[in-house]
Structures are given as structure tokens and as C-alpha cells.
Amino acid sequence: MPSDAAAKGVKLERYASGGALLLRRVASGKFVSASSHLLFRATVLATLALVFLFALHYPSLLSRSFSLASDGSSSSVPGASRSHASHRSLLASTSAAATYGSERWQKEIRRSAKPGRDGGLSVLVTGAGGFVGAHCSLALKARGDGVVGLDNFNSYYDPALKRGRQQLLADRGVVVLDADINDALLLEKLFEAVPFTHVLHLAAQAGVRYAMEAPQTYVASNVAGLVSVFEAAAKRADPQPAVVWASSSSVYGLNTDAPFSEDHRTDRPASLYAATKKAGEAIAHAYNHIYGLSITGLRFFTVYGPWGRPDMAYFSFARSIVAGEPITLYADARRDFTYIDDVVKGCVGALDTAGRSTGSARSGKKSGPAPLRVYNLGNTSPVPVTRMVAILEKLLGKKANKRIIAMPSNGDVPFTHANVSHAAHDFGYRPTTSLDAGLRHFVDWFVQYYKLDIKIAKPSTTGKKPAAATKKKASATSASS
Ligand SMILES: O=C(O)[C@H]1O[C@H](OP(=O)(O)OP(=O)(O)OC[C@H]2O[C@@H](n3ccc(=O)[nH]c3=O)[C@H](O)[C@@H]2O)[C@H](O)[C@@H](O)[C@H]1O
């Protein structure tokens, strides 16, 4: 037990008084002498010098550490952008269950990548914590393919949603690494550990209008990140996988021919987001041409559904309607809204028909031409945004506080409309979900996920009045199962 004096932070000092040796109480702070100050400063300086030397000699390590994140723990930093993600990876690594490239790490990766059926694919899914990435990973796993995901869990929108998707995948035995596509050494280690048959590259900086606010994050993810993935697939993987990646309907830009066909012009992007996706398609051509990489670009058309992206209009409008907050609608805007389950079928079809890469990482040569494809994945029936809001109002049983303005000059385009005949021909892509049905699935999930006490209107075909549909716990969607 400490003495009373010590416990109170005081020390006893000897002093002489009138020939007698006495004791007096002195505050311990006064005993922080000049010498201990010096010692403290020397320690701090030495530590700083060590950190400086470490950073000088091993700068790349700062962006190369990462952890297995199947435990669902969060390492996200509010306000951080995708380009800052590698520093978060370092934070994550301090609590890593299995560290970078270790035997345990490799074992986990190989387990997750192993197909559960004969002839199953082994797929690396980038952006697996994202909306489309999580749904595709679940669908692939459900049919017996092996899946390893990676995601940097940035805070472009609520990272808790991404962690929720990660947990869904972890529950089904799919590892999603906390890592960034710009981390070349990570990708190298992944391809060293597993001979992936396919890469489904969905990690990207999404959002058309946000590109005006944060242009560099689009270049970092959609251009540099794409090159990083192609580089690894072409030069580090043996054998080379086939790559299927997310382009966008936005590449049609100012095209006015409708419905949009893959043969139409795509050289007039209206936003930087669109320009980076268009750049991606050109980059894909180069990697296919030089390295014989099998590459398929999928032009997604405004994908929506359960576990969706809160930055998208249908999601943010639903939140605003519930909160009684105003929403701003761009007059006459129409979108070919495409339901997630349909898009997942398109992604899986594209993977199944991708065809082999013909290059060799060892020789750096290709044995012949490899497939280079691009497909629209849309719904083929554009709907006015005002109609989308009307469906939400009906389902949520509440009127929106609408403000309708002319479409601002923010990179938006007035309408999208997909011709999907190529995807239909090559892999039987046939979207089957109407906006009414799809938004209903979304609202079901939305109400459950946010634990809202809302009675969801039944489909109009039943002709019945709204019925109670509030449930306590969020569940996976049909695409997930
Ligand atoms: O297909 C794509 O390639 C892209 O689809 C999606 O972009 P968009 O089609 O623009 O979707 P989204 O923002 O939901 O706006 C929907 C509608 O609401 C209108 N809109 C939007 C905001 C607003 O405040 N008011 C409004 O009327 C707006 O004018 C539009 O008509 C993805 O976000 C993008 O990442 C990319 O994948």
C-alpha cells in the first residue's frame, strides 16, 4: 500500500533547522527537477529521430499494412477521403488479427477464395463493402464460388453501412480486407497467395455531382486505382485473371440518341466522374491490347435497392421524406433506374462469359487477342424523378416537401435510357424489376435497417390499405440469399 503522503502526491524533504534534522512535506511537482525535464526532452527527441529514420527508409510501409477485417471492427476516420485510406490501413494493422502476408493471413485468404463447388470461380471483389460489391459477393458465394473482398471503408458516406455489409459477408465466410486498391504490394501479395480466376473490380469514387467538390478523389480511385488493379492482374497474377469492372451510364454524357447503345458516342462526358469512367474504358483498351488481359466494362444505370448508397437521390429523398425535410428535384430529370438484383445477375453473367486472358506475367507476352467487352446494364425504361418520389411518398405514407428547380450545371444529364441487347445476347441479361417493386424492396429494408415505426403501403395491385410492416431487425435482401 502506498503511504498517505505518497498517495496524495507529496514528498517528505529533510531540512536542517536550529541544528535539528526535521522533515517537511513538499508537493511532488516541485521535485520534477531540471534533470528529469532534460531526460524527458531527450526521450522525445530520440523518438522523433527514430520515427523520421523509419519514414525515410520505409515510407511504403505506411501504406502497405492492413488487416483482415472480417471481425467487423471499424477503422474509419470521419471526413477522410479514399486517397487517405492507406493511412487508416496502418491504424487498422495495429489491431490486426493476422498481418500482411503472414501465414495466417494467407490461410484465411485461401480459405475465403476457395470455391465450394467443382468448377467454381475464385473471385477477388474490390469494393466489396460497397453496395453492388457486397450484393455480388453474396450472390457469388451463395452459388459456390470463392470470394475475397477488399474495401478501404472510406467515409464518402456512412461507413457503418459498409461495415454492416462486411458483417453480412463475414457471416457467410467471406473475408473483406481493409485495404486500398492503390496499394500495389497488397495486390501482389493477394495474387501470390491465390490464383484468382476473376477480378470483379467495383471499388470506385461514385457520385456524379460530388466530383465538383473533390475532383482528386475521382482521379485517385477511378484512374490511378484502376491502373493499379490492371497492373497487378497483368503483371503479378499467374495465370492472369479475367477482369470485369464498373463503368457507368454517365459515359454517354451529352449523347441524345436513345436508347443508349454501346455503339453510341461516349466522347462528351458531362462530369469529371463520367470522364474518369470514360478514361477507364480507354485504359482497359490499352491493357487488353498490350498484355492480353480479358476485360469487360459494365455501364451501370442508376442502380438502387436494399443496402444502397445513401448519397443517391432515392435514398436521400426517403430519409428527407421521413424527417419532414425539403427535397430539391431537378425538373424533367429521368433515369433508367435499375434494381440491384438485376444488376447482380448481369455482373455474374459477365464473369461467367468473360473468356480467358492470353498474357503471361512471366514472359510479359500475350499468346493472342483476349476479349475486350463493354455492356450496358440498365432497366430499359426511364422514369421521371418526380415519379420515383411519388412511389416513395406512397410507400412511406407521407408527402414530400418538394422544391422543383431547373437542372443546375453540376455534371448531371437530363435522362438515361439503356439498350441492353448486347448483354441479353451474350449472357441472357433481362431486367425484370419495375421501379415500383424495387423501391418497395428498398423501403422494406430501409424501415427495418433504421428501425422506423412506419407502416408501408401494400402494392397497389392488391387494392388494400397500408398494412403494418415494421420489423425489428434488418435482414439480407433476396440478392444476398
Ligand atoms: O448511372 C450511373 O452511372 C450513375 O448513377 C448514379 O447517378 P445518378 O443517375 O445521377 O443518380 P442519383 O444521384 O441518385 O440521381 C438520380 C436522379 O435524381 C436527380 N436528382 C438528384 C439529386 C437531387 O438533389 N435532385 C434530383 O432531382 C438527378 O438529376 C437524377 O436524375 C450514381 O450516383 C452514379 O454513381 C453513377 O453510378
Side-chain angles (χ1 to χ4, degrees):
M1 285 280 283
S3 71
D4 186 43
K8 285 178 182 160
V10 297
K11 287 194 175 175
L12 298 177
E13 182 186 48
R14 287 175 189 216
Y15 73 102
S17 175
L21 198 61
L22 302 174
L23 290 172
R24 68 181 175 194
R25 289 158 74 95
V26 181
S28 62
K30 291 182 184 172
F31 278 85
V32 179
S33 63
S35 61
S36 43
H37 271 302
L38 269 178
L39 188 65
F40 174 71
R41 281 178 191 158
T43 311
V44 169
L45 278 175
T47 310
L48 286 174
L50 279 172
V51 168
F52 176 71
L53 282 172
F54 177 83
L56 206 62
H57 288 283
Y58 305 103
S60 52
L61 288 183
L62 292 176
S63 65
R64 286 177 181 177
S65 303
F66 66 96
S67 66
L68 289 175
S70 54
D71 60 356
S73 62
S74 174
S75 65
S76 302
V77 178
S81 71
R82 188 162 268 267
S83 56
H84 300 144
S86 26
H87 300 288
R88 287 201 307 283
S89 300
L90 179 68
L91 294 178
S93 73
T94 56
S95 63
T99 46
Y100 192 101
S102 69
E103 261 182 47
R104 184 173 164 200
W105 181 84
Q106 292 191 8
K107 210 173 145 195
E108 276 291 280
I109 300 297
R110 289 191 184 120
R111 181 196 55 71
S112 191
K114 195 171 176 206
R117 63 179 167 104
D118 286 345
L121 314 183
S122 182
V123 190
L124 174 63
V125 180
T126 71
F131 173 37
V132 181
H135 279 278
C136 285
S137 300
L138 289 166
L140 291 169
K141 181 72 183 173
R143 70 171 202 167
D145 295 323
V147 179
V148 172
L150 67 83
D151 202 293
N152 72 8
F153 295 95
N154 70 26
S155 48
Y156 168 60
Y157 62 79
D158 184 7
L161 197 54
K162 302 177 185 185
R163 294 296 176 185
R165 300 182 188 125
Q166 182 188 34
Q167 191 57 54
L168 279 181
L169 287 162
D171 292 345
R172 288 158 179 79
V174 176
V175 164
V176 180
L177 297 168
D178 229 71
D180 196 280
I181 49 170
N182 281 300
D183 186 339
L185 188 64
L186 158 77
L187 295 179
E188 187 177 331
K189 290 279 172 201
L190 273 172
F191 284 119
E192 248 172 52
V194 175
F196 289 106
T197 58
H198 295 75
V199 176
L200 182 56
H201 174 50
L202 302 174
Q205 177 57 60
V208 174
R209 290 161 288 281
Y210 181 63
M212 291 177 73
E213 281 176 54
Q216 295 301 345
T217 64
Y218 288 78
V219 177
S221 290
N222 304 356
V223 179
L226 182 69
V227 169
S228 175
V229 170
F230 283 157
E231 275 288 303
K235 298 181 183 171
R236 301 284 169 249
D238 185 21
Q240 290 175 337
V243 182
V244 175
W245 71 285
S247 183
S248 161
S249 72
S250 65
V251 298
Y252 291 106
L254 304 184
N255 174 49
T256 49
D257 295 342
F260 300 168
S261 157
E262 291 88 342
D263 310 323
H264 288 170
R265 283 180 69 176
T266 55
D267 56 353
R268 291 168 295 175
S271 65
L272 178 66
Y273 169 72
T276 60
K277 289 296 183 180
K278 175 63 187 168
E281 293 188 356
I283 291 165
H285 185 279
Y287 274 87
N288 169 267
H289 174 68
I290 300 172
Y291 300 106
L293 210 52
S294 163
I295 302 177
T296 304
L298 300 175
R299 294 176 179 166
F300 295 155
F301 281 69
T302 316
V303 188
Y304 72 100
W307 290 98
R309 277 171 37 207
D311 62 308
M312 288 184 68
Y314 73 96
F315 200 133
S316 68
F317 288 172
R319 292 178 94 152
S320 297
I321 291 170
V322 169
E325 288 163 1
I327 59 173
T328 304
L329 300 185
Y330 304 147
D332 304 324
R334 281 178 298 136
R335 281 295 181 275
D336 198 2
F337 294 102
T338 311
Y339 188 61
I340 183 65
D341 289 13
D342 291 323
V343 166
V344 168
K345 283 183 201 145
C347 291
V348 173
L351 286 168
D352 285 342
T353 55
R356 287 180 190 281
S357 293
T358 58
S360 158
R362 263 173 291 184
S363 69
K365 290 183 183 150
K366 63 177 185 182
S367 61
L372 178 68
R373 312 182 301 169
V374 65
Y375 296 103
N376 288 340
L377 291 186
N379 197 46
T380 72
S381 48
V383 175
V385 174
T386 45
R387 166 84 187 127
M388 178 262 279
V389 173
I391 298 170
L392 287 176
E393 288 177 321
K394 194 169 175 200
L395 289 165
L396 294 166
K398 196 168 171 190
K399 282 280 169 202
N401 176 0
K402 294 186 281 265
R403 192 171 71 101
I404 301 184
I405 62 167
M407 183 172 279
S409 177
N410 57 7
D412 225 320
V413 291
F415 80 101
T416 61
H417 184 183
N419 173 335
V420 299
S421 55
H422 288 306
H425 179 268
D426 289 0
F427 45 87
Y429 173 73
R430 269 177 201 83
T432 55
T433 317
S434 68
L435 186 60
D436 287 76
L439 280 180
R440 189 182 165 76
H441 295 314
F442 164 70
V443 170
D444 276 342
W445 168 82
F446 177 76
V447 164
Q448 291 172 30
Y449 184 80
Y450 290 107
K451 299 183 171 63
L452 303 173
D453 187 18
I454 287 175
K455 295 171 191 255
I456 302 169
K458 282 205 165 171
S460 51
T461 46
T462 66
K464 288 182 185 165
K465 293 252 172 201
T470 309
K471 290 179 194 164
K472 276 183 190 146
K473 215 169 166 253
S475 62
T477 66
S478 52
S480 320
S481 50

